[in-house]
Amino acid sequence: MTTEVAVLGAGMHPWGKWGRGFVEYGVAAARAALADAGIAWRDVGSIVGADTVRGGYPGYVAGATFAKALGWQGARVASVYAACASGAQAIGTARTQILAGMADVVLVVGADAAPKGFFRPAGGDRPDDPDWLRFRVLGATNPAYFGLYARRRMAVHGDTLDDFAQVKVKNAAAGALNPNARYRKPVTVEEVAASAVVADPLRLLDICATSDGAAALVLSSMDFARRHGAADPVRIRAVSTVTPTYPTTVLDLPDIATDSAAVVAPADGTFRASIARAAYEEAGIGPEDISLAEVYDLSTALELQWYEDLGLCGEGEGAKLLRDGVTAPGGRVPVNTSGGLASFGEAVPAQAIAQVCEVTWQLRGTAGARQIEGARVGVTANQGLFGHGSSVVAVR
């Protein structure tokens, strides 16, 4: 039995600050994906929505919310929440339904209307919630964590402020070519250095913004794709949604302490490295097979960490990989050809889906001015709060 599903359609609502509701953005992305697939909404057998906690009841039941907005037609429905990994969880749910024979065609949608400024935990007192604790006990906003990661890389691996700035320069240049990106202006190292310090050592241009936006995919069984006339579609070969392994000996979001390894030996690698490893193992490939990657650049320093977690280089070698041009367009493994979160900002339920949209367009050869020549295998990577892994492997 094949474990692959076809990507028949991909669509997005441009990201920015539009001042409207997330449902409007999601419907626009869904309709774009359906049109791209050549599929009518009434022919969709299931819809999976990635939830946003900022939309009240409609946000918490995003699958049904989008189904209603598109027009009730009897499709199966599911809604998932995994913070920033919600989109990958939605893709995984859709893929499972297809492989189980529950539906031939599944629509996956994620959309958000994000607040201005820092994300904050939902209201109320929740002393058992590590996200709530880090805000209320430590006062540690997301940029504070990003700053700690960056400072650790500088101390342990010798990364520099210039290395971090070069990530922004690379991604901004890609974003300038992407019509769906919020920020479409190249920047220089000097402009990054001149931007305000947010969480030392990171400047404003080192950290991604919060955004409104949406992304959607139409997935199908391989048999349906062939009947539909798609003889050689982009295929999702693996979806990794793993959790951390106890004990955790490297501090990582959302935890505010590490576990003791006095009784149980630590795992061979970190949580983020395990996310990609599980995807590679399921897909039957390795880092050497990757044509391009879309990674979760909440900050410039975190992109460098993902290079290592994806196995594109050894520990501490991320900055060298960047300096050598390996992750730039024309390099061996271009990273964030979409422009990344540096160019889009965070629209939480949509971002893992948006990563697969970009990989799909690259593997089809339809990415326009940002097209990577000969792309055959793409991988995505991010993580969600509360221990949600997220990685998708797509092939052509």
Side-chain angles (χ1 to χ4, degrees):
M1 177 179 176
T2 180
T3 59
E4 294 183 339
V5 298
V7 183
L8 293 186
M12 295 181 69
H13 181 290
W15 293 28
K17 284 290 187 179
W18 307 114
R20 300 192 294 276
F22 79 97
V23 180
E24 181 177 340
Y25 309 141
V27 168
R31 287 175 174 159
L34 289 166
D36 185 46
I39 297 289
W41 160 235
R42 65 180 175 274
D43 295 326
V44 172
S46 179
I47 179 170
V48 183
D51 292 351
T52 170
V53 299
R54 286 174 292 280
Y57 263 17
Y60 282 108
V61 289
T65 296
F66 294 130
K68 179 181 179 181
L70 290 164
W72 296 124
Q73 48 86 309
R76 291 179 180 271
V77 66
S79 298
V80 300
Y81 181 70
C84 294
S86 296
Q89 292 273 8
I91 292 169
T93 299
R95 176 173 174 253
T96 299
Q97 290 181 347
I98 293 168
L99 294 179
M102 297 169 65
D104 276 335
V105 182
V106 182
L107 173 65
V108 180
V109 190
D112 206 359
K116 182 180 176 65
F118 299 146
F119 286 123
R120 59 185 183 277
D125 293 341
R126 298 184 309 284
D128 57 348
D129 176 351
D131 196 34
W132 182 89
L133 284 170
R134 70 173 173 106
F135 276 87
R136 301 299 176 86
V137 178
L138 297 182
T141 61
N142 286 0
Y145 264 92
F146 308 155
L148 291 171
Y149 283 131
R151 184 61 67 187
R152 182 182 187 277
R153 288 198 62 84
M154 295 174 77
V156 175
H157 302 311
D159 291 5
T160 67
L161 295 179
D162 184 73
D163 292 328
F164 302 153
Q166 290 291 354
V167 174
K168 174 67 176 185
V169 170
K170 173 183 69 70
N171 291 348
L177 303 175
N178 193 332
N180 289 308
R182 176 179 178 181
Y183 300 105
R184 301 190 59 197
K185 178 183 176 183
V187 301
T188 65
V189 169
E190 291 74 22
E191 288 172 323
V192 177
S195 64
V197 174
V198 175
D200 187 63
L202 299 178
R203 271 59 179 170
L204 183 64
L205 294 184
D206 282 303
I207 297 171
C208 77
T210 61
S211 289
D212 299 355
L217 295 165
V218 176
L219 307 181
S220 81
S221 66
M222 295 304 299
D223 285 344
F224 180 92
R226 285 187 283 269
R227 294 197 306 270
H228 188 64
D232 184 28
V234 172
R235 307 180 305 282
I236 290 177
R237 182 170 287 177
V239 181
S240 168
T241 56
V242 297
T243 55
T245 300
Y246 177 86
T248 300
T249 56
V250 177
L251 189 64
D252 201 356
L253 276 171
D255 297 317
I256 54 178
T258 58
D259 299 323
S260 171
V263 176
V264 178
D268 293 337
T270 63
F271 170 43
R272 279 197 298 266
S274 75
I275 297 171
R277 184 170 62 249
Y280 291 150
E281 289 175 356
E282 183 181 343
I285 63 169
E288 67 279 3
D289 299 309
I290 298 300
S291 304
L292 75 152
E294 285 286 306
V295 306
Y296 191 44
D297 59 320
L298 291 167
S299 80
T300 51
L302 282 178
E303 176 167 323
L304 298 180
Q305 184 66 48
W306 278 115
Y307 297 172
E308 299 164 22
D309 295 333
L310 286 174
L312 303 181
C313 61
E315 183 179 356
E317 298 176 354
K320 182 178 186 302
L321 207 69
L322 176 77
R323 294 182 205 126
D324 291 346
V326 174
T327 61
R332 177 172 57 84
V333 190
V335 175
N336 283 342
T337 59
S338 67
L341 295 181
S343 300
F344 277 75
E346 282 200 273
V348 171
Q351 49 210 33
I353 301 171
Q355 289 181 325
V356 179
C357 287
E358 174 66 17
V359 169
T360 296
W361 292 323
Q362 289 287 350
L363 297 184
R364 285 179 179 173
T366 59
R370 62 186 191 281
Q371 180 64 49
I372 301 303
E373 184 177 355
R376 303 296 296 176
V377 181
V379 65
T380 71
N382 69 36
Q383 66 183 110
L385 286 173
F386 320 112
H388 287 113
S390 170
S391 180
V392 177
V393 173
V395 301
R396 182 71 182 271

